[in-house]
Amino acid sequence: MLLLGQFVSQIGTIMQNFAFSLYVLKTTGSGKAFASVLAVQIIPQIFIAPFSGVLADWFDRKKIIVLLDMLSGALIGGLYLISITVGLQLIHIYIAVALLTIISTLFYPAIGSMMPAVMKKEELMDANALNSVAMSSVNILGPILAGFVFGFYGIETVLLLNSISFICSAISEMFINAPKLEKKNEMLGIKQFKEDFIEGIVFLKDNYILLLITITAFMMNFIFNPLFSVGLTYISKITLGISDIQYGMLESIAMVGAILAPIFASIISKRLKLSNIFMYGIFVCVLLLGFMSLDIMPAFTDLFNNNIVPFTILALTCALFTLVLTISNLALMTLQQKIVPLDILGRYYAVSGAITMGAVPLGQMMFGTLFDKLPSYVVVLIGFSISLIFILVIAKPFIKVEERSESSEFEVINAEI
């Protein structure tokens, strides 16, 4: 029921985000304007995430996710009515994205802590792998559907389908059987909220391996997210000049790597520590950024009469990037679920999420501006250089932590005990 609910709503959300990206880019033709919409999607998360984590640990998580999915469906339904009556404007997209972000920020700590609540620890890697396959399938199917629906029927139909998908997701989630962790014996208020929130911060601060990983995720969000959320669309549509259907194919091909990732993750996790899988994966992703910059250089693209070869190479590079990054994220997710107590998991997700997501709007605005002022390959090369320097700098303290550990969870488990 958990996977089914996410599967249905995620298809609609991917179609909507895909349509928003094409709609805004077509309307404005500006990478900066496109990036500003994405930044609006992130900024509320920074301020609301701390509250969402505490609420997820206070109340029935099942009720939270059902209520918020229903609310999302109603909001997007309202946006659909606006689109077919007065017409969709950029300001409508800004407001809708901001409100949906507030809802999703409250939603994800609750849904993220549901998996370890319904699964045993030894089953988490396989459960996360299955969830990854389901979500990757959505990421392949979603852009293809969005390309056709948006191309033939417009953004209005995309909004209608997404509204329906959220309502169906909420209905599915009503049947989930999960343990309740409501704090019935405590006086819930500002004082208790402050104490619980600080507990989440202290837990992260006292576990050095998780702190290093969080810092790494912060830096990578600053670079990876804008280069693929803003950059990939800009490179595809503006630099290479591909069609909407080609762009949908690009997104889907890239997601093939995510489909294959759980298989490789299961094999690799039996040979390497989870924390090492995360760091090695990030390093490989950095190298792939450098390769991508070479693919879109004019010196290379000018060798061909059309964009087929650069487009194909870009698609394969994105697929490999997604494969490695998904393996890395699966390792990180499983590591967190294994070593963070369930009663604090919501707060941990909120604190670490607020830290790492804080980098996204900064990166989106910076790289969005750079795409307007510099050639695309130069912007990607800048991202590659920054991330390479960072990963080389943080490698030394990370290796020292690993040398003091008998396993990837050693320090956290000792601190927890």
Side-chain angles (χ1 to χ4, degrees), residues 48-334:
I48 298 174
F51 300 93
S52 66
V54 176
L55 293 176
D57 289 338
W58 273 4
F59 301 112
D60 186 345
R61 291 159 181 168
K62 173 182 170 180
K63 292 180 180 178
I64 292 175
I65 64 177
V66 170
L67 177 62
L68 293 178
D69 266 349
M70 282 290 189
L71 188 58
S72 296
L75 176 60
I76 297 168
L79 191 63
Y80 163 72
L81 294 177
I82 292 175
S83 68
I84 62 175
T85 53
V86 300
L88 195 63
Q89 304 296 325
L90 194 59
I91 186 63
H92 298 143
I93 295 178
Y94 277 122
I95 295 173
V97 166
L99 292 176
L100 288 170
T101 299
I102 292 173
I103 294 173
S104 66
T105 303
L106 296 171
F107 179 86
Y108 282 113
I111 197 73
S113 55
M114 284 290 283
M115 185 72 79
V118 299
M119 302 297 294
K120 299 176 182 178
K121 284 191 175 184
E122 60 269 22
E123 299 172 333
L124 282 174
M125 190 63 178
D126 291 337
N128 287 325
L130 181 61
N131 182 60
S132 177
V133 171
M135 294 303 102
S136 299
S137 301
V138 170
N139 287 329
I140 292 175
L141 183 61
I144 294 177
L145 291 175
F148 282 103
V149 174
F150 179 78
F152 288 103
Y153 300 102
I155 197 170
E156 297 84 3
T157 304
V158 174
L159 292 173
L160 177 61
L161 292 175
N162 193 25
S163 177
I164 295 173
S165 74
F166 269 111
I167 295 173
C168 291
S169 176
I171 294 174
S172 170
E173 290 157 353
M174 291 178 182
F175 297 96
I176 296 175
N177 183 19
K180 297 181 180 181
L181 296 174
E182 295 186 70
K183 294 194 171 186
K184 297 180 179 179
N185 299 324
E186 295 184 15
M187 184 67 68
L188 303 182
I190 296 178
K191 181 179 179 181
Q192 186 61 46
F193 171 85
K194 182 179 178 181
E195 291 177 359
D196 286 359
F197 177 61
I198 291 175
E199 186 179 357
I201 297 176
V202 171
F203 181 85
L204 177 60
K205 180 179 68 69
D206 290 345
N207 293 276
Y208 194 47
I209 187 69
L210 287 180
L211 185 61
L212 285 178
I213 289 175
T214 300
I215 294 172
T216 304
F218 174 91
M219 194 63 188
M220 294 306 103
N221 269 352
F222 179 76
I223 298 169
F224 290 174
N225 186 285
L227 286 181
F228 280 86
S229 61
V230 178
L232 189 59
T233 305
Y234 194 89
I235 290 168
S236 302
K237 302 296 294 180
I238 307 299
T239 304
L240 298 183
I242 67 175
S243 67
D244 291 347
I245 293 179
Q246 280 182 305
Y247 181 61
M249 291 174 58
L250 173 64
E251 293 275 347
S252 298
I253 291 172
M255 287 301 105
V256 171
I259 289 286
L260 299 175
I263 301 173
F264 290 97
S266 179
I267 297 173
I268 296 173
S269 64
K270 294 177 175 61
R271 293 169 171 79
L272 295 174
K273 299 175 183 178
L274 293 173
S275 52
N276 283 342
I277 295 174
F278 171 76
M279 293 299 294
Y280 293 157
I282 295 298
F283 181 71
V284 172
C285 288
V286 171
L287 298 181
L288 288 172
L289 282 184
F291 183 76
M292 182 185 296
S293 67
L294 298 177
D295 174 53
I296 60 176
M297 281 184 177
F300 180 74
T301 57
D302 290 346
L303 296 175
F304 310 97
N305 296 325
N306 51 51
N307 60 21
I308 294 178
V309 173
F311 166 74
T312 303
I313 295 176
L314 178 64
L316 294 176
T317 303
C318 290
L320 184 57
F321 183 95
T322 307
L323 169 69
V324 177
L325 187 62
T326 304
I327 293 173
S328 181
N329 285 337
L330 279 172
L332 174 60
M333 185 185 307
T334 305

